[in-house]
Amino acid sequence: LAMSNTIKVAAVQAASISFNLSQSLEKLAKLTSEAAASGADLVVFPEAFLSAYPWRYAFDATIGARELRGRKWYARYCASALSIPSPEFNMLLSTAAQNNVFLYVGIVERDGATLYCTTILISQEGELLSRHRKLIPTAAERLVWGRGAGDGLQVVETQIGKVGGLICWENYMPAARMALYQQGIEIYIAPNADDLPSWIASMQHIAKEGRCFVISVNQFCTVKDFPSDYPPFTPEHHDRQPDGSAWTPDAILSHGGSCVVGPMGTFIAEPVWDKEQIIYAELRSEELFESRMDFDAVGSYARPDIFTLTVNTKSAASVVLERLVAAHED
């Protein structure tokens, strides 16, 4: 399928209602409806939007010790995660179908007792098209999120184009990017929790390197988006703002910076800072071919006679149950 001539995308820069899955789902449905009413074909939500990126908290873990309070908060985190399948997941499918949009959402996925930082792509008909688990959680994220596998390195052909993406600092993994380029990605989605200026430069570089559209979407998030008893922001906790002062309800945890970049590395929608906003952009398919006149990351430009990339696309299931059939059975 070729990308439609022009599509409208919506990057939703908003905060979760952290540790509350039902209310976060309600907020997602409301924002999706607003974006659809504005003509969006594709609606994108940030990393771990359902239902918390656990800002500033390592769940009371240190090397050699884990405290009871942290375990209780981890259990609470698990309770606000999303299982596939589940009634809550069905609500997401319905939200996409009712609004006739493609929905790309960052979730904390619960599989058994393990959590994953995951993105899912849902069709306009309310069908799951892809699921990608973050390959390597960053730094302290590794304590609470498991590692993804190569089966999630997918680019899906849809009527709006070839859609895929990576999560946050996965985008700094050259081989992971190349795996998507080789599948002809056209709409590259990067949900993240990075509001540094250098992140924006990376998004421009990836768009120009891959000759694709890049949608970078981050939360604008403050202390009041978390429960009042969330440990890092309580008065007795040792954590402080960068200037050394105590946290206040309006203190900003993530400044946003969501943007949309065209395949020549220039902005279609400039970064938005310090507010909740839906960022809209129109993507023209002609720009993909225009940009690839002088460079294309795949095909002959990849120099397959020199370089090869092998991707293990098997799942990482640790236990596979097989029924052994005895020789005498029919």
Side-chain angles (χ1 to χ4, degrees):
L1 297 174
M3 181 177 173
S4 302
N5 288 337
T6 302
I7 68 161
K8 189 171 184 177
V9 300
V12 181
Q13 181 165 289
S16 315
I17 300 176
S18 296
F19 292 84
N20 191 317
L21 180 58
S22 62
Q23 289 186 21
S24 291
L25 280 164
E26 290 174 8
K27 184 172 183 178
L28 181 144
K30 179 181 178 181
L31 291 168
T32 300
S33 178
E34 179 182 341
S38 295
D41 303 293
L42 168 65
V43 184
V44 180
F45 284 84
E47 178 180 16
F49 186 82
L50 298 176
S51 66
Y53 185 87
W55 281 102
R56 311 290 301 191
Y57 194 34
F59 293 86
D60 291 309
T62 55
I63 294 175
R66 269 74 59 196
E67 304 299 334
L68 179 59
R69 180 179 65 175
R71 292 187 184 278
K72 290 184 176 296
W73 271 94
Y74 177 75
R76 189 167 173 178
Y77 196 39
C78 288
S80 71
L82 183 70
S83 297
I84 301 174
S86 65
E88 294 80 9
F89 178 66
N90 289 340
M91 292 174 65
L92 266 186
L93 301 180
S94 296
T95 296
Q98 289 168 5
N99 290 284
N100 193 35
V101 295
F102 286 89
L103 196 55
Y104 197 97
V105 185
I107 68 171
V108 177
E109 178 195 1
R110 184 173 72 245
D111 187 357
T114 298
L115 303 181
Y116 296 92
C117 181
T118 299
T119 52
I120 54 176
L121 175 64
I122 302 170
S123 75
Q124 293 169 311
E125 293 76 33
E127 297 177 349
L128 179 64
L129 298 180
S130 68
R131 170 171 56 177
H132 169 69
R133 292 172 172 174
K134 197 173 189 178
L135 295 173
I136 298 288
T138 303
E141 294 173 357
R142 296 173 201 173
L143 176 72
V144 290
W145 293 342
R147 299 194 304 173
D151 58 344
L153 288 171
Q154 300 177 46
V155 172
V156 182
E157 286 197 83
T158 74
Q159 55 264 51
I160 62 169
K162 297 176 181 178
V163 182
L166 297 171
I167 306 167
C168 207
W169 279 21
E170 281 187 313
N171 289 280
Y172 293 140
M173 300 170 68
R177 297 200 307 270
M178 194 62 187
L180 300 187
Y181 299 157
Q182 288 288 351
Q183 296 175 67
I185 192 166
E186 295 171 332
I187 302 174
Y188 184 120
I189 304 174
N192 63 87
D194 189 331
D195 60 358
L196 298 175
S198 57
W199 175 261
I200 303 299
S202 294
M203 295 297 96
Q204 291 183 279
H205 168 259
I206 290 170
K208 191 166 186 178
E209 176 183 69
R211 290 310 205 249
C212 52
F213 295 102
V214 171
I215 303 169
S216 174
V217 60
N218 187 11
Q219 296 192 30
F220 168 68
C221 183
T222 65
V223 167
K224 63 176 174 286
D225 294 311
F226 283 80
S228 60
D229 57 342
Y230 184 62
F233 307 136
T234 53
E236 65 276 8
H237 199 272
H238 63 80
D239 196 48
R240 292 291 182 267
Q241 297 191 61
D243 64 2
S245 61
W247 291 100
T248 63
D250 291 324
I252 295 173
L253 302 170
S254 176
H255 293 268
S258 303
C259 60
V260 181
V261 188
M264 291 298 288
T266 56
F267 290 116
I268 301 174
E270 297 265 351
V272 173
W273 304 100
D274 293 334
K275 60 182 175 180
E276 283 204 354
Q277 183 174 314
I278 301 178
I279 295 98
Y280 296 100
E282 292 193 350
L283 315 184
R284 294 191 310 110
S285 61
E286 291 89 347
E287 291 186 35
L288 294 168
F289 295 98
E290 292 167 2
S291 69
R292 293 173 184 177
M293 183 182 78
D294 53 358
F295 182 77
D296 184 1
V298 300
S300 63
Y301 285 84
R303 288 305 303 271
D305 55 324
I306 302 174
F307 306 109
T308 59
L309 174 65
T310 301
V311 182
N312 179 2
T313 59
K314 293 180 180 178
S315 72
S318 58
V319 177
V320 177
L321 300 177
E322 294 183 355
R323 181 175 179 267
L324 298 179
V325 180
H328 64 271
E329 288 188 30
D330 292 333

